[in-house]
Amino acid sequence: MKTVLVGIGQAGGKLADRILEFDHERGYMSVKDALAINSAKADLKSLSIDSVLIGQARVKGHGVGGDNELGAEIMEADLAEVQEKLGERVTAEAESIILTTGLGGGTGSGGTPVLARRLTEIYDIPVYVLAILPGTEESNLTQVNAGRSLKTITKTADATIVIDNDAWKSTGESLSDGYETINQQIAKRVGLLLAAGEGSAGVGESVVDSSEVINTLQAGGLAAIGYNQVPAAESTEENITTVRTATRSAVLSGLSLTGETAAEAALLVVTGEPDRISRKGVETSRRWLEDETGSMQVRGGDFPMDSDHIGSLVVLGGLQQSDRIDGFFQRASEAAAAPTETEDESDKLFQNDEIDGL
Ligand code: GDP
């Protein structure tokens, strides 16, 4: 699926950069272009993709701190410039636009809903948001920012793929090392999904094309992405269980948002050498996914690649429920209501907010 990436804020910029890097290193070239948007000049320096510095008149390149209302205001004020920069990149070839963002900060948290709304008004192609949910140990202000941002984004974007920072956190890593690991894992999953959606017919037995990715995400609301790979056996027959194991672990332990797996639609992409991928394994895995998600809309196909592993990439679209998300909104609402050291910011942020205490 030919895509233009837009990274907003620090985390968003890094993520867009990593996804483009993965895509180009593997030679897939599904990412047509990428742009980073930030109000903090320093955060743009380390990125290899083009960038726009917004809010210079207000914050002079120093960022908005954790003030996501200011983040929204400066995006609104500089929309014309952002639109112009994006207009050069979103050519007729593009099949989707993906905004990447950390929900808990300021620039990405506030700016992403504003930009998503504008882009859905302008373009016919779907606008997706790849949204990083803050870890449970992050501050109350972060949870509040993220809660409000996520609510607004899901009302506007065609689908919101949620990445839970807690889902991939490994013990013993520093925060920045941990982030880098997470970013690379996300880049691999999203990069594979975009490349698989290119569907080069005639190579695999059944390939995926961009319409299948789009249809899976069409349910809107929240989506999740999962991946797992298992060493492949020599014979196709032996790989019946390999495909099943890869698929089950992609969903049960490799998903970007852990918890409930009930969904309106799902997509299963099996990666590996075409003559090692077991058709029977793929068929039974699809049936398992139907049972697991409660959806009869399970699409699928292969993504042929030179590898001694078989991998399963799973996308769940229109997630019905998630304990993690429910708990997150609960905590964000409580944090918004509670008088804490962040009271001033919280009050300011929610003065004119009409949504369920968020
Ligand atoms: P902004 O620049 O004001 O938009 O703020 P950030 O992008 O730094 O967003 C802050 C949130 O994003 C934090 O609460 C973290 O949850 C998350 N975050 C920051 N950097 C990274 C990163 O590199 N990777 C991941 N996965 N999450 C990050």
Side-chain angles (χ1 to χ4, degrees):
M1 181 159 70
K2 300 263 183 274
T3 297
V4 175
L5 294 173
V6 188
I8 307 145
Q10 186 195 186
K14 279 195 276 178
L15 213 48
D17 208 36
R18 292 299 170 277
I19 298 171
L20 179 115
E21 198 175 73
F22 176 87
D23 180 72
H24 286 197
E25 263 174 26
R26 295 254 182 141
Y28 297 146
M29 313 311 270
S30 302
V31 177
K32 296 321 295 168
D33 219 325
L35 185 71
I37 303 172
N38 209 328
S39 59
K41 205 171 179 177
D43 290 343
L44 291 172
K45 278 211 177 106
S46 57
L47 304 178
S48 58
I49 57 180
D50 288 344
S51 60
V52 192
L53 184 65
I54 56 168
Q56 286 191 75
R58 301 271 303 263
V59 301
K60 309 205 170 3
H62 295 303
V64 298
D67 188 343
N68 73 350
E69 192 152 283
L70 183 56
E73 283 169 20
I74 60 171
M75 179 64 86
E76 192 80 56
D78 287 352
L79 262 182
E81 189 189 345
V82 170
Q83 247 173 261
E84 192 192 316
K85 287 262 166 31
L86 270 175
E88 297 159 10
R89 291 169 167 80
V90 184
T91 59
E93 215 188 355
E95 294 166 295
S96 72
I97 301 172
I98 301 184
L99 311 186
T100 57
T101 192
L103 292 169
T107 305
S109 177
T112 304
V114 173
L115 183 60
R117 180 173 300 127
R118 176 57 60 88
L119 296 181
T120 53
E121 286 164 358
I122 296 178
Y123 294 105
D124 283 335
I125 54 175
V127 175
Y128 302 124
V129 177
L130 193 61
I132 301 169
L133 197 67
T136 43
E137 80 292 349
E138 290 192 55
S139 73
N140 276 352
L141 178 64
T142 303
Q143 311 293 335
V144 171
N145 283 356
R148 186 182 188 189
S149 184
L150 185 58
K151 281 219 161 181
T152 322
I153 287 169
T154 47
K155 287 183 168 187
T156 326
D158 288 287
T160 308
I161 303 170
V162 181
I163 309 289
D164 181 0
N165 261 349
D166 277 351
W168 284 322
K169 201 177 56 187
S170 50
T171 47
E173 270 182 324
S174 73
L175 206 57
S176 53
D177 286 352
Y179 280 160
E180 191 45 42
T181 311
I182 295 172
N183 295 349
Q184 284 181 6
Q185 300 211 33
I186 301 169
K188 180 172 185 182
R189 284 154 177 76
V190 175
L192 284 177
L193 177 67
L194 298 178
E198 299 271 309
S200 47
V203 183
E205 288 203 29
S206 98
V207 288
V208 180
D209 67 26
S210 54
S211 69
E212 283 159 310
V213 179
I214 290 170
N215 287 334
T216 304
L217 294 171
Q218 202 159 28
L222 301 183
I225 186 166
Y227 178 76
N228 207 295
Q229 61 178 33
V230 177
E234 280 304 323
S235 79
T236 314
E237 186 64 20
E238 281 174 284
N239 283 326
I240 297 175
T241 53
T242 315
V243 177
R244 284 187 197 158
T245 305
T247 307
R248 287 176 194 169
S249 38
V251 174
L252 300 177
S253 56
L255 216 54
S256 62
L257 181 65
T258 47
E260 294 294 324
T261 52
E264 280 188 39
L267 175 72
L268 169 65
V269 180
V270 178
T271 67
E273 281 183 14
D275 54 1
R276 289 213 230 173
I277 297 176
S278 153
R279 306 296 354 135
K280 194 167 170 203
V282 173
E283 269 323 301
T284 51
S285 296
R286 278 176 73 161
R287 280 204 294 279
W288 177 83
L289 254 183
E290 286 176 1
D291 287 345
E292 186 63 30
T293 58
S295 166
M296 294 306 286
Q297 275 194 70
V298 177
R299 298 174 172 83
D302 300 344
F303 184 28
M305 64 170 69
D306 221 7
S307 168
D308 50 10
H309 284 74
I310 283 180
S312 286
L313 180 74
V314 175
V315 177
L316 302 184
L319 280 174
Q320 304 285 299
Q321 206 212 328
S322 156
D323 287 347
R324 169 72 170 103
I325 291 285
D326 291 348
F328 157 73
F329 275 127
Q330 176 73 24
R331 179 165 165 211
S333 297
E334 282 165 13
T340 62
E341 73 274 14
T342 58
E343 188 178 21
D344 287 350
E345 288 101 313
S346 301
D347 280 354
K348 192 160 71 144
L349 287 175
F350 297 106
Q351 257 164 11
N352 3 305
D353 201 352
E354 70 291 344
I355 338 167
D356 307 343
L358 275 175

